Amino acid sequence: MAPKLPLHVFQELDSFTNLAWFAFLSILLYFLFDYLCFSKNSNHPPSPPKLPIIGNLHQLGYLPHQSLRSLSLKLGPLMLLQIGRIPTLVVSSPEMAEQVLRTQDHIFANRPLLKIMDRLMHGQKNTSFSPYGEYWRQAKKVTILHLLSNKKVKSIQPIRDDEVTLLLRRISASSSSVNLSEMISDTTNNVVSRAILGST
């Protein structure tokens, strides 16, 4: 005759089963609510059916450009994909690209708000990550006029010439094979460092 299990074991198993069912139903309701809210919004472009958590990631396959082309043939030149939890607008015609990049560019000009960039860039106060608006326009103006102007580029021409000369000497002096990518990276870093620090 098999030994009987104590009553508390059955109670623990029962509570674990209830907890598992509760977690499963909570996750199911969350994704169902997310799907219903997403599908109710009629302003969204057409979108293929998505899976929970991964969205449409499984439909991209090994050749994403071909998968996107076949999806655009079915859904049209403007479609919305969920790449994980990130909604991604896919534009696949010149007319729609003109709408996005030229006519409605002020709507699509912002980058996603990232907490890490908010911390690193002091509230996203830089040209690359600041929201589109008056501050961004002024920062861009200062960058173009004072950092990327023709006069500024010409002022660091001697530094670039020196570093390229040093690079060519290092390549010609080496008797074995060289890692050209590493050398070019070092030369670029030297040019930037000398331009910023003012070393000649």
Side-chain angles (χ1 to χ4, degrees), residues 66-87:
Q66 292 182 5
S67 304
L68 290 174
R69 182 181 181 277
S70 61
L71 284 172
S72 69
L73 291 175
K74 293 177 188 174
L75 300 171
L78 195 65
M79 60 183 169
L80 186 66
L81 300 180
Q82 288 283 128
I83 308 299
R85 296 287 302 150
I86 301 171

Side-chain angles (χ1 to χ4, degrees), residues 81-139:
L81 300 180
Q82 288 283 128
I83 308 299
R85 296 287 302 150
I86 301 171
T88 305
L89 185 67
V90 179
V91 181
S92 56
S93 77
E95 295 79 16
M96 286 295 163
E98 184 180 9
Q99 285 289 320
V100 169
L101 298 174
R102 183 179 293 176
T103 311
Q104 306 290 338
D105 61 331
H106 60 282
I107 297 172
F108 298 96
N110 281 338
R111 292 174 181 260
L113 297 175
L114 303 173
K115 288 184 179 178
I116 183 73
M117 286 300 148
D118 193 45
R119 292 285 181 103
L120 289 176
M121 303 297 175
H122 306 286
Q124 298 183 335
K125 298 293 184 186
N126 69 336
T127 311
S128 301
F129 289 95
S130 60
Y132 180 77
E134 186 60 30
Y135 176 84
W136 178 83
R137 282 192 288 272
Q138 292 300 324

Side-chain angles (χ1 to χ4, degrees), residues 25-198:
L25 289 174
S26 300
I27 293 170
L28 185 65
L29 286 173
Y30 170 76
F31 286 115
L32 183 63
F33 178 75
D34 185 49
Y35 175 77
L36 290 175
C37 288
F38 184 78
S39 59
K40 275 184 184 177
N41 193 339
S42 58
N43 293 329
H44 284 159
S47 177
K50 60 176 184 167
L51 292 176
I53 300 174
I54 65 169
N56 301 108
L57 201 57
H58 66 290
Q59 293 172 323
L60 296 182
Y62 293 107
L63 300 170
H65 60 289
Q66 292 182 5
S67 304
L68 290 174
R69 182 181 181 277
S70 61
L71 284 172
S72 69
L73 291 175
K74 293 177 188 174
L75 300 171
L78 195 65
M79 60 183 169
L80 186 66
L81 300 180
Q82 288 283 128
I83 308 299
R85 296 287 302 150
I86 301 171
T88 305
L89 185 67
V90 179
V91 181
S92 56
S93 77
E95 295 79 16
M96 286 295 163
E98 184 180 9
Q99 285 289 320
V100 169
L101 298 174
R102 183 179 293 176
T103 311
Q104 306 290 338
D105 61 331
H106 60 282
I107 297 172
F108 298 96
N110 281 338
R111 292 174 181 260
L113 297 175
L114 303 173
K115 288 184 179 178
I116 183 73
M117 286 300 148
D118 193 45
R119 292 285 181 103
L120 289 176
M121 303 297 175
H122 306 286
Q124 298 183 335
K125 298 293 184 186
N126 69 336
T127 311
S128 301
F129 289 95
S130 60
Y132 180 77
E134 186 60 30
Y135 176 84
W136 178 83
R137 282 192 288 272
Q138 292 300 324
K140 180 186 173 188
K141 185 178 178 182
V142 168
T143 303
I144 291 172
L145 289 178
H146 297 287
L147 296 177
L148 303 176
S149 65
N150 195 29
K151 183 180 177 182
K152 190 68 175 176
V153 171
K154 284 182 178 177
S155 72
I156 60 170
Q157 180 71 37
I159 297 173
R160 291 198 304 270
D161 292 343
D162 287 348
E163 290 299 327
V164 169
T165 304
L166 289 172
L167 172 66
L168 293 175
R169 283 180 187 164
R170 283 175 61 196
I171 292 172
S172 62
S174 107
S175 56
S176 60
S177 62
V178 294
N179 187 342
L180 200 55
S181 299
E182 187 178 324
M183 286 186 169
I184 291 174
S185 176
D186 290 343
T187 301
T188 306
N189 289 336
N190 291 341
V191 169
V192 171
S193 301
R194 289 177 64 183
I196 291 171
L197 301 174

